[in-house]
Amino acid sequence: MEMHPRVSDHAASDLDRAIADEAELTAGIRIRPGRSYGFFTDTTLCIGCKACEVACKEWNNLPADGIGLTGHSYDNTTALSADSWRHVMFIEAGVRDDLAQPFQSGWLMMSDVCKHCHNAPCLEACPTGALFRTEFDTVVVQQDICNGCGYCVPACPFGVVDISLLDGKAHKCTLCYDRLKGGLEPACAKACPTDSIQFGELDELQERARRREADLHRRGVAGAYIYGAPGTPGATGGLGHLSAFFLLTATPETYNLPRAPTRPANRIAPSLAAGIATVFGLAVAALSLFTRSAER
Amino acid sequence: MSMNEQPAWDGRTYYNEPQLRAAPFNNALVGGYIFLAGLSGAAQLLTTVMDATRGPGAASTTRRGRYLAMLAPTVGALCLILDLHTPQRFYNMLRLIKPTSPMSLGSWVLVGFGVTSTATAVLQFAADRLRGSRLRGVARITQVPAALAGAFMSTYTASLLSATSTPLWAAAPKSLAVRFASSAVASAAAALGLGERNDRRRRDLDNLAVAALAVELAATLASEHAERQVGIDDGGKQSAGRAAVPLVLLLTSLLLPGFLGRAVSTLGSVAALGGGLAMRVDTLTEGDTSARQSHRSLRFAQPDNLPRA
Ligand code: SF4
C-alpha cells in the first residue's frame, strides 16, 4: 500500500493534537456525514491475533468479559456481548493439507462484529428510539435513552446486541461513532495488522470484496464467497445488505452465522391479522350465545 | 457465489455455542403481563358484548368485567416496569410511535386501554353509589373504545414475540397469535364464569370458554406442526394439555346438572386460568431455549424457511 503524502507531516509519534481527517492516512478515505460506511472483514487474512478485540475494549472502555478458558479452541471470548464488540472465532478445519497454499492453515479465523444491518431488526424493535441510524448509516444505541427493555436482544438475527447487567442498558458495536465524528477510522480496523478488517465507504468496500473473491477463485480457493453483500447469504429475508460483511471460505454455519436470516418486522402484519380475527370471531360467538339465551 | 451454489449445511455448529441471544426477560413478570393483558382485554370486550345484549339484566356480570379489566393497567403495567433493566426510565416507552415495533405499539395500546378502562370502572363505581345518575350511560360509551383496545391487548403480545429472531416464536406467527387470542378469551370467560351466580349466564360463559379452548387446542396443534415443518421441533413435551384439560372439564360440567355441574365448572375455570398463565410462561421459556440451541436456530435460518416471495 502506498503511503499518503500527508503521512510525512507527522513524523513524531507524540502528538499534541488529533490529526485532521486521520482516516485519510490510515484507511485512505475522508469520513463525511451522509455517506454509508462499513466493515469488510476478509477472513482469509485473519491470523487470530485479537488485536481488534483489544483495540475495541481499550477505545470503548469496555469491562473484562468471560474470564476463563473454554477448552475448545483459542476462542475464550465465545460470543459478542455487551462488553465484547469484536469476537475472534477459531475453527479447526481439519488436518492441514501439505499440498495447500501457505495461507491455508488448518484453522479458520474470523473476527465477528455487529453487521449494522440495512433494515436493522434491533433498531426496528427498539420502542424508545434509543437505537437509531447515524449520519454514517450505522446503527447505534443512545445510552441516555435506553431503558433496558431488552427487546432488541431477541430481535437481532445474529445474537449481537446484549443488555449489560452492570448498567441495565443495551450495548453493541457503534462502528466507533465517536471516532467517525472525529475523522478517525474505527479502532479495530486501524489495529488489524493484516487488513483482515477493512473500513471504508460501503460501495467501494463491496467492489473491493468482489475483486478479492474473484482473485481468490483464480488462485484456487474455489470456496471463497461473500456473506452479507446484496444477493449473498446473510443479506436475505428482507434484511437488506449488511454494512459489516465478510469474505468466508466455509459454510456460514461454520462461523456460527445464519445462512438465510429474516427480517422479524415482516411477521407483525400476518400475526396481528390472525390474532385480531380470532378475537373478533370469538366476540361474535359470544354475541350470538348471549343473544340467543336472552331471547329464551 | 450465490446462495444456491453454497454447499449444504452438514449440521455442525460452532462448538455448540449459541448463535442467538435469548430475550433477557424475566419470564414470570413478562408471562404474567401477557396473561393479564389477555385476561383484562378480553374481559372488557366480553363485558361490552354482554352489556350490549343483556343490558341492565346482567349488571352484576358487567360490573365484575369492568373491574377485572383493571388488572392489566395496574398489576400488568407494574410487571412490565419491573422487568425493565432501567425501570426509572419507563416513560421513554412513550417517546415515539414505531409501527415496526410491537412493543412500541403495545405500550400505546396499554395506555389507551388503561385510560378508557379506568374511566369505565370509575363511572361504574360512581354510578353504583349515586342513585339515578346518568353515569351508567356514559360508561356504556367509554366501554366501546376500551373493548376495541382490549381486542388488541389480547393478541399483540404474540406479534411482539413473533417479531424476533427467536426460532420458536418466529416459526408460526399466525398460530401463536391465534393461541394467545383464544386463550385470552377463554381466561376472561373463565374468570367471569367463576363469580357468576346466575346459572344461565354461567353456562353461556362456559360455552364460550369451551369454544375458545377448542380454538386454542387446534392452534396449539398447528404450531407444533409448523415447528416440525421448519425443522426446529425439539421432540419434547406436548403442550396441548394446557387447553385440553379445562376443555374437557368445562364440557363435562355443561352435561352435569345442579351442584355437580357448578363444581366441575369451577374446576374447569380454574384450570383454564392456570393453563393460560402456564402457556404464556412456557412459551417464553421454551423460546429462550430454542434461541440458545444453535442447531435449532441455524436450522431455522436455512433458505427453505425463507418466506416465499
Ligand atoms: S447485527 Fe444485530 S445488533 Fe447489529 S444492526 Fe443487525 S440487528 Fe442490530
Side-chain angles (χ1 to χ4, degrees):
Chain A
M1 193 173 141
E2 293 143 47
M3 208 87 96
H4 194 278
R6 271 177 59 214
V7 170
S8 49
D9 300 349
H10 305 283
S13 58
D14 200 9
L15 301 175
D16 58 352
R17 72 182 75 91
I19 301 173
D21 282 316
E22 194 208 67
E24 199 170 32
L25 310 188
T26 62
I29 55 158
R30 272 172 191 251
I31 300 163
R32 291 288 171 264
R35 300 188 190 168
S36 298
Y37 294 91
F39 287 129
F40 165 39
T41 305
D42 181 347
T43 64
T44 59
L45 298 176
C46 181
I47 55 171
C49 71
K50 305 192 195 182
C52 51
E53 282 194 26
V54 176
C56 176
K57 288 245 183 206
E58 289 218 345
W59 178 264
N60 294 301
N61 256 326
L62 298 177
D65 192 13
I67 297 173
L69 300 175
T70 58
H72 60 46
S73 69
Y74 299 109
D75 178 6
N76 295 308
T77 309
T78 67
L80 293 169
S81 71
D83 299 330
S84 297
W85 300 350
R86 270 276 177 193
H87 163 222
V88 181
M89 314 179 82
F90 290 77
I91 301 122
E92 201 161 8
V95 184
R96 189 192 145 110
D97 175 0
D98 277 333
L99 299 173
Q101 298 293 316
F103 57 81
Q104 292 175 313
S105 65
W107 286 91
L108 298 174
M109 271 113 20
M110 178 234 191
S111 177
D112 198 9
V113 70
C114 168
K115 315 315 180 264
H116 294 272
C117 315
H118 180 60
N119 292 319
C122 60
L123 188 159
E124 296 190 327
C126 177
T128 64
L131 269 152
F132 81 121
R133 187 163 294 282
T134 71
E135 64 271 39
F136 305 111
D137 200 13
T138 55
V139 181
V140 174
V141 190
Q142 300 174 81
Q143 295 303 319
D144 53 342
I145 292 173
C146 177
N147 66 10
C149 77
Y151 190 37
C152 53
V153 176
C156 174
F158 304 98
V160 173
V161 62
D162 183 22
I163 295 276
S164 167
L165 297 179
L166 297 173
D167 69 352
K169 316 281 187 309
H171 297 274
K172 69 170 197 72
C173 162
T174 67
L175 218 135
C176 282
Y177 186 35
D178 49 353
R179 290 175 64 94
L180 298 199
K181 276 182 174 284
L184 295 123
E185 78 169 308
C188 56
K190 186 176 175 186
C192 179
T194 64
D195 251 355
S196 171
I197 301 174
Q198 300 172 32
F199 165 78
E201 266 193 64
L202 201 53
D203 302 344
E204 209 278 312
L205 285 183
Q206 287 170 351
E207 190 44 49
R208 203 187 295 172
R210 276 191 288 272
R211 280 201 307 272
R212 173 73 178 161
E213 183 191 26
D215 186 39
L216 285 169
H217 287 172
R218 240 193 335 272
R219 288 158 66 176
V221 190
Y225 69 100
I226 300 170
Y227 179 96
T232 66
T236 51
L239 280 185
H241 61 262
L242 312 178
S243 288
F245 62 101
F246 303 83
L247 189 140
L248 307 175
T249 53
T251 58
E253 294 83 7
T254 310
Y255 306 89
N256 218 3
L257 289 170
R259 186 175 295 228
T262 51
R263 180 188 187 181
N266 286 353
R267 291 187 274 271
I268 299 173
S271 153
L272 265 187
I276 292 290
T278 308
V279 181
F280 282 121
L282 288 168
V284 170
L287 190 69
S288 86
L289 267 170
F290 299 165
T291 333
R292 247 196 356 206
S293 67
E295 283 161 1
R296 274 207 300 261
Chain B
M1 188 183 285
S2 88
M3 198 131 68
N4 303 329
E5 296 165 54
Q6 273 292 304
W9 177 36
D10 58 8
R12 272 191 296 182
T13 65
Y14 182 71
Y15 306 107
N16 271 329
E17 296 287 350
Q19 181 258 316
L20 292 175
R21 242 168 220 293
F25 301 152
N26 176 325
N27 290 346
L29 286 175
V30 175
Y33 168 76
I34 297 178
F35 172 71
L36 291 179
L39 176 62
S40 295
Q44 187 70 266
L45 184 65
L46 295 186
T47 299
T48 304
V49 173
M50 181 72 85
D51 185 53
T53 49
R54 301 285 178 78
S60 65
T61 317
T62 319
R63 179 181 304 113
R64 275 182 297 116
R66 288 173 180 167
Y67 290 155
L68 209 52
M70 290 308 294
L71 278 174
T74 53
V75 185
L78 193 69
C79 286
L80 286 187
I81 292 174
L82 288 177
D83 184 60
L84 298 176
H85 289 83
T86 307
Q88 63 273 26
R89 287 189 187 165
F90 73 93
Y91 51 82
N92 277 359
M93 286 296 180
L94 304 177
R95 270 184 86 232
L96 37 79
I97 300 182
K98 201 187 267 186
T100 57
S101 171
M103 192 179 277
S104 165
L105 299 178
S107 304
W108 287 102
V109 169
L110 177 58
V111 168
F113 181 77
V115 168
T116 48
S117 293
T118 307
T120 312
V122 166
L123 288 165
Q124 172 79 48
F125 184 83
D128 286 346
R129 275 148 194 84
L130 307 169
R131 211 182 296 215
S133 81
R134 297 219 195 94
L135 296 177
R136 217 173 285 280
V138 185
R140 297 195 77 183
I141 296 167
T142 57
Q143 71 179 350
V144 177
L148 289 176
F152 278 90
M153 290 286 285
S154 334
T155 180
Y156 88 84
T157 44
S159 314
L160 188 151
L161 296 185
S162 287
T164 65
S165 296
T166 294
L168 202 73
W169 303 338
K174 286 186 204 145
S175 33
L176 188 70
V178 175
R179 280 164 67 198
F180 277 28
S182 52
S183 173
V185 174
S187 32
L192 288 169
L194 268 182
E196 189 58 72
R197 284 197 224 125
N198 178 302
D199 243 10
R200 207 177 60 186
R201 286 204 293 275
R202 186 180 54 75
R203 282 180 162 262
D204 284 348
L205 288 165
D206 283 356
N207 265 311
L208 184 64
V210 163
L213 287 166
V215 173
E216 188 192 335
L217 186 60
T220 306
L221 298 176
S223 280
E224 285 173 359
H225 176 72
E227 285 155 28
R228 278 193 296 277
Q229 287 251 296
V230 300
I232 58 154
D233 173 45
D234 65 349
K237 68 167 183 252
Q238 294 295 311
S239 44
R242 288 180 298 235
V245 171
L247 178 64
V248 169
L249 285 171
L250 288 173
L251 266 178
T252 316
S253 81
L254 289 168
L255 303 173
L256 295 170
F259 171 77
L260 203 58
R262 274 199 299 278
V264 179
S265 152
T266 303
L267 267 183
S269 299
V270 172
L273 289 169
L277 178 60
M279 190 265 279
R280 276 29 173 265
V281 177
D282 290 353
T283 301
L284 290 170
T285 312
E286 289 163 18
D288 291 348
T289 307
S290 76
R292 286 194 197 96
Q293 295 177 327
S294 50
H295 66 273
R296 288 166 83 194
S297 65
L298 289 171
R299 175 66 193 90
F300 183 58
Q302 290 300 307
D304 58 343
N305 285 337
L306 279 177
R308 278 176 291 274

